[in-house]
Amino acid sequence: MKRRDLYRYGTMLLGNLAAFTLAVPGVAYLFDPLAKKSKEGVFQPMAKLKELKVGVPVAVPVVEERQDAWVKYPKEPIGSVWLVRQPEGSKEPVVAFTTTCPHLGCAINLAADRTTFYCACHSSRFEFSGKPMNDVPPRAMDSLKVKITTDPDPVVMVKFERFRCQGKEKISLV
Amino acid sequence: MSNPLADWLDDRTGYRDLLKSVLDEPIPGGARLRYVFGAALTTTFLIQLTTGLLLMLSYSPSSSTAWGSVFYINEKMTLGWVIRGIHHFGSGAMVSLLALHLMQVVAAGAYRRPREANWWFGMGLMFLILGFSLTGYLLPWDQKGFWATKVATGIMGGAPVIGPYLQKLVIGGPDYGNQTITRFYGVHVGLLPLLTFLTLTAHIALARRHGLTPARNADRYPTGKHWPEQFFMNAVAGVGVFAILLIVVLSGHGANLDAPADPSSSDYPARPEWYFLSLFQLLKVFPGHFEVIATVAIPASIVTVLALLPLLDRLFPKKLAHFLACGFVFGLMGGVVFLSIEAVRQDLADTGFQADRQRADESRQRAILLAGDASVGVPPEGSSYVLLRDPLTHGRAVLEAKCLSCHYFDGKGQIPAKVDGKETSSPQVASDLKGFGSYSWIRGLLENPKSATYFGKASSCDGMVEWKKGTKLSSKELDDVAHFVATFAEIGPDTTPDEWLSQPGVDSHPGYKPFVEDCGKCHVVEGLTEGGLRDSPNLFAWGSTRWIRRMIHKPGSPELYGYIDEKDRMPAFSSDQLSENDIAMLIRYLKNDYLGAPQEGKETRSPQVAAKTDSK
């Protein structure tokens, strides 16, 4: 009976050992995407300040190099930002928002009457200040960091970032 | 032991009876190690299934993406190289175990009545496993898989009558490409696993129906049960195979990925996977018209004989039939081993093969370095562009093929053949392009224009030689001029002479004055010098990308070497002869503009040394 037990436990041990040894690299490989980080954005020129009119939002494409798994794409539009010039004397001369709706990630456009931002997916609506106008979006539009150069002809620089959808808090995806 | 849930399940499914019949299956003469091969094969197949499914999550089957995705799995994903390594070497384990299983079955006489049908199912599984190997080898779309598959399908195309149609059907058209990959992929991950599952089920069911073939001395031992003795031995065998597999994978850091498939390469030494080497070697034994013996006749005869083995008993006495069967199978294995060793031995002794293999390894390492570099990567057009867009690989190849029949590079021209192990270059009739346009090249020219590096071999370009006889510029002034002229190479594609002259640092450069006063007597630079003393090329933007491009397309234009007789001039290369990419890569190679290029001043020879060695 002792020999039989040895075989029995031995079989279980060996079987589990093999399964475990295969499972370790398997799980590591499967969970590889969690180890991948998106790269941090840098400030890049979006428009000249004088080209922006107060209170008229403009969508400007963000042009960046992009690494998609193994493929390296040259500079091409990877997203857009909304630039809204603020009235003279405001704390920030220009406010920038991502075009990604904080609800479920669709693209935010201008509403047909061009007085509000509107997302066609689930009817999120925002003021030009980014403030939500209905209960669909969980938070205001995601603003981006803006820098204005000190040139004689100032340039609006924006640091492009992506944020997690849903939730009241704005959490960067970097 | 009562478990209500298990009781309920058993009541509805009756699984306990099935389990019991498997566990308590009797083994005449008790458990033995020799019965483990089938179980080891099944275990390895499960390992292949698991790793294969994992690889499918990241693999992308198309000619532009396959290599990149396998590269990504191998180099960028966490332990991806382990998963791919197990899957790659697992195929070798399958084939090895298959051979062992086959030999064991024949030796035990387990192929004969009443197990004929199961012998044939086993043969079916053998073909399926070889099918997995053949289709899987292509999927990375690297040089190795591409060329090996080309050969394998080429053999198929040589079959009588239906061959060409079959080949076209298998590779999905007249040429190898996207449709070849998608077909091989579909067969590899869909059709073959399904057929294997069905055949394996039948194989195992029949094996259980007939039971194990009792060993000759089985009646001397008590009958055993599958569980736990035989299970333990199976587990030992399975773990043993897996352990060997892991050792192979870990010690070699996974499986190789060759350079991306390049249908235009002419020197790739194609070899099949090791377990097909015997067939490869057999081809060499039957050259020419007799090739069909190696490709069709012998394999077909072997398969036929194997299929008929169980029927041998009807022709011969039982013992003789078994003896013949064993003789055939073991002789066959001996032949396979002999031919495989012979193939490896011949390759090891073949210096040409070794040199080709070394070049292939250099391309492989270069491709992986480029694809993994954050500033280069795999271009969106596809993985075949990894090396095509690399100045070191493609630019150098263009230089060697098109330029070095006249020019030299770093003291060497084209090397048509090695004579007695010594490399002999093609004769030099034009300058040495190493470092062309750089300070050291120019400084060397100003020091000794007669050197072979410069115009020594181009007798119709004697202007600089004449100048050297009469010039009164001091060594310091020559340094300054060389530095000044070296800045011409930086002039951008759209800069006009006026714009360039108004840039800061141009007219204040120490070389500016001696250049205008001495060089400007012959050479023209619009808005700066008028030349006129002798015919000579215009030096505006000399050595820049735009200048070299124009020199390649139109060396006879008036501002270049139009004053030289056409027969003495560099021949023009049209855009049909050299593509935009060819020229761009060539120029970047000349300008050391590539990943891993030697740093400025380190690799380039100092002008004095160059002048000295060349004037010998």
Side-chain angles (χ1 to χ4, degrees):
Chain A
M1 252 348 233
K2 262 197 150 169
R3 204 178 161 82
R4 210 180 133 80
D5 281 342
L6 179 77
Y7 285 146
R8 225 167 56 196
Y9 293 122
T11 307
M12 289 178 191
L13 182 76
L14 289 174
N16 284 313
L17 181 75
F20 180 75
T21 313
L22 185 58
V24 168
V27 169
Y29 171 91
L30 208 54
F31 283 75
D32 173 79
L34 294 184
K36 299 273 187 275
K37 290 209 167 74
S38 46
K39 72 174 186 210
E40 186 151 11
V42 287
F43 279 100
Q44 51 172 298
M46 303 301 294
K48 288 190 169 157
L49 186 61
K50 67 174 183 205
E51 288 166 354
L52 303 174
K53 290 193 194 111
V54 174
V56 181
V58 186
V60 185
V62 178
V63 178
E64 269 179 24
E65 282 185 348
R66 187 165 60 93
Q67 182 80 36
D68 176 5
W70 60 90
V71 181
K72 167 98 173 169
Y73 287 93
K75 282 193 168 185
E76 58 177 19
I78 60 159
S80 296
V81 297
W82 283 111
L83 298 181
V84 190
R85 176 126 191 214
Q86 304 297 305
E88 210 62 40
S90 309
K91 206 165 71 182
E92 305 281 348
V94 173
V95 178
F97 298 108
T98 71
T99 55
T100 311
C101 180
H103 177 220
L104 288 170
C106 290
I108 300 172
N109 200 354
L110 283 180
D113 61 4
R114 298 182 166 268
T115 57
T116 56
F117 286 123
Y118 178 71
C119 177
C121 282
H122 307 98
S123 311
S124 300
R125 197 177 287 277
F126 306 90
E127 293 173 3
F128 284 170
S129 66
K131 215 175 101 184
M133 296 171 72
N134 55 27
D135 287 336
V136 180
R139 61 173 187 260
M141 279 169 76
D142 294 321
S143 59
L144 297 167
K145 291 194 180 97
V146 179
K147 264 202 290 200
I148 312 284
T149 60
T150 50
D151 292 305
D153 187 5
V155 176
V156 181
M157 312 274 288
V158 174
K159 185 174 163 187
F160 186 62
E161 274 182 283
R162 290 192 170 88
F163 301 93
R164 203 182 282 175
C165 285
Q166 302 196 284
K168 291 216 176 311
E169 248 180 289
K170 172 176 146 192
I171 300 166
S172 176
L173 283 181
V174 171
Chain B
M1 273 297 277
S2 175
N3 177 341
L5 188 65
D7 288 345
W8 177 85
L9 195 66
D10 184 47
D11 182 56
R12 302 298 194 274
T13 63
Y15 79 95
R16 277 179 186 147
D17 281 346
L18 178 73
L19 201 63
K20 199 168 151 46
S21 78
V22 170
L23 297 179
D24 294 347
E25 195 191 335
I27 303 177
R32 283 165 198 244
L33 260 180
R34 69 174 72 157
Y35 301 146
V36 299
F37 295 110
L41 263 173
T42 314
T43 310
T44 315
F45 181 67
L46 287 177
I47 293 174
Q48 293 297 82
L49 206 63
T50 313
T51 50
L53 282 169
L54 287 171
L55 291 174
M56 275 175 78
L57 297 179
S58 294
Y59 174 73
S60 173
S62 81
S63 65
S64 48
T65 59
W67 187 90
S69 63
V70 176
F71 159 81
Y72 187 72
I73 292 168
N74 228 28
E75 305 287 328
K76 297 284 174 183
M77 290 184 73
T78 321
L79 296 188
W81 61 275
V82 177
I83 302 295
R84 175 166 177 258
I86 294 174
H87 197 71
H88 174 91
F89 292 109
S91 80
M94 288 293 285
V95 175
S96 309
L97 288 168
L98 187 83
L100 292 174
H101 190 42
L102 181 97
M103 289 194 281
Q104 148 70 13
V105 164
V106 171
Y111 62 95
R112 34 185 18 178
R113 202 169 72 109
R115 299 183 177 82
E116 300 99 322
N118 218 16
W119 169 255
W120 293 323
F121 275 121
M123 283 187 68
L125 284 168
M126 175 175 82
F127 286 121
L128 291 171
I129 288 171
L130 295 180
F132 272 116
S133 302
L134 276 174
T135 49
Y137 207 51
L138 172 79
L139 297 182
W141 202 245
D142 60 352
Q143 287 280 65
K144 192 173 61 172
F146 178 82
W147 291 103
T149 302
K150 225 174 159 179
V151 172
T153 50
I155 289 172
M156 182 191 296
V161 191
I162 56 163
Y165 303 101
L166 198 62
Q167 184 184 7
K168 217 168 167 179
L169 208 59
V170 165
I171 67 177
D175 238 324
Y176 297 81
N178 280 318
Q179 281 295 304
T180 321
I181 298 198
T182 49
R183 285 183 167 235
F184 274 53
Y185 182 63
V187 169
H188 189 83
V189 307
L191 186 64
L192 290 177
L194 180 71
L195 291 178
T196 304
F197 180 75
L198 293 175
T199 319
L200 191 59
T201 308
H203 192 66
I204 292 173
L206 276 185
R208 295 197 54 228
R209 178 187 161 90
H210 297 300
L212 283 166
T213 308
R216 214 171 304 158
N217 58 3
D219 43 2
R220 277 193 265 147
Y221 299 92
T223 296
K225 282 181 178 177
H226 246 85
W227 176 257
E229 293 92 339
Q230 190 59 48
F231 266 86
F232 178 71
M233 290 177 190
N234 292 349
V236 169
V239 168
V241 171
F242 189 37
I244 295 172
L245 205 49
L246 274 181
I247 289 169
V248 172
V249 170
L250 297 179
S251 62
H253 199 82
N256 259 355
L257 176 64
D258 242 332
D262 175 10
S264 75
S265 62
S266 56
D267 60 354
Y268 186 79
R271 289 291 179 277
E273 189 62 325
W274 63 266
Y275 39 81
F276 288 124
L277 274 178
S278 54
L279 284 172
F280 162 80
Q281 186 66 15
L282 197 61
L283 260 180
K284 292 200 220 164
V285 181
F286 296 97
H289 287 313
F290 300 108
E291 204 171 80
V292 72
I293 298 178
T295 57
V296 181
I298 292 181
S301 318
I302 291 172
V303 170
T304 311
V305 174
L306 281 179
L308 297 178
L309 273 193
L311 308 179
L312 224 52
D313 286 3
R314 298 175 182 232
L315 297 177
F316 303 104
K318 217 178 154 193
K319 282 219 160 139
L320 178 62
H322 189 210
F323 179 77
L324 287 175
C326 287
F328 178 72
V329 169
F330 285 88
L332 184 66
M333 289 304 162
V336 166
V337 171
F338 171 76
L339 285 172
S340 305
I341 291 174
E342 193 58 17
V344 173
R345 202 186 57 75
Q346 285 187 9
D347 278 349
L348 286 178
D350 182 349
T351 50
F353 170 82
Q354 295 298 333
D356 284 347
R357 188 56 246 175
Q358 198 187 334
R359 263 197 300 280
D361 280 331
E362 281 163 13
S363 305
R364 171 172 67 84
Q365 286 157 357
R366 183 72 186 161
I368 287 173
L369 178 77
L370 289 165
D373 189 84
S375 64
V376 186
V378 180
E381 292 88 339
S383 32
S384 56
Y385 290 87
V386 171
L387 290 178
L388 212 55
R389 297 264 171 84
D390 176 33
L392 180 62
T393 309
H394 190 60
R396 185 168 63 183
V398 171
L399 180 84
E400 282 172 2
K402 303 281 184 178
C403 312
L404 294 194
S405 49
C406 298
H407 286 284
Y408 265 31
F409 188 82
D410 204 14
K412 278 188 196 142
Q414 274 174 346
I415 297 163
K418 279 188 184 177
V419 183
D420 300 330
K422 274 184 77 180
E423 292 178 341
T424 40
S425 291
S426 53
Q428 183 181 10
V429 294
S431 55
D432 191 310
L433 293 176
K434 169 99 176 167
F436 176 76
S438 68
Y439 162 74
S440 50
W441 199 92
I442 302 159
R443 187 64 186 83
L445 167 70
L446 298 181
E447 194 62 38
N448 183 12
K450 242 182 350 198
S451 151
T453 308
Y454 308 106
F455 296 120
K457 300 281 182 182
S459 51
S460 42
C461 300
D462 58 350
M464 291 302 290
V465 178
E466 289 300 315
W467 160 83
K468 187 68 190 170
K469 287 177 189 160
T471 184
K472 294 193 173 56
L473 290 184
S474 69
S475 176
K476 165 78 175 62
E477 283 168 320
L478 291 175
D479 282 350
D480 291 341
V481 168
H483 277 299
F484 183 56
V485 176
T487 64
F488 295 6
E490 307 302 320
I491 295 175
D494 301 318
T495 311
T496 64
D498 284 345
E499 282 167 352
W500 171 64
L501 282 170
S502 61
Q503 276 171 13
V506 173
D507 55 5
S508 60
H509 195 286
Y512 178 84
K513 199 165 153 273
F515 175 83
V516 172
E517 289 171 1
D518 213 55
C519 312
K521 285 183 197 157
C522 301
H523 289 288
V524 177
V525 172
E526 294 91 334
L528 183 63
T529 61
E530 293 188 354
L533 186 65
R534 266 195 74 128
D535 286 331
S536 64
N538 183 316
L539 289 187
F540 175 65
W542 181 87
S544 67
T545 302
R546 64 194 268 181
W547 193 92
I548 300 175
R549 189 185 298 272
R550 182 131 178 96
M551 186 66 204
I552 291 169
H553 280 315
K554 242 184 163 180
S557 70
E559 81 276 15
L560 293 171
Y561 289 93
Y563 63 92
I564 294 179
D565 267 1
E566 198 175 343
K567 66 176 170 51
D568 296 331
R569 208 157 60 202
M570 171 171 151
F573 290 85
S574 69
S575 43
D576 292 336
Q577 291 162 298
L578 285 175
S579 72
E580 267 305 299
N581 185 57
D582 291 342
I583 292 179
M585 291 306 115
L586 170 64
I587 295 174
R588 282 181 57 192
Y589 178 60
L590 290 177
K591 288 175 164 290
N592 278 347
D593 175 17
Y594 52 86
L595 185 66
Q599 294 295 304
E600 187 72 22
K602 265 190 191 164
E603 204 67 359
T604 40
R605 300 173 297 176
S606 76
Q608 281 78 9
V609 173
K612 231 185 236 169
T613 48
D614 287 328
S615 57
K616 269 185 209 162

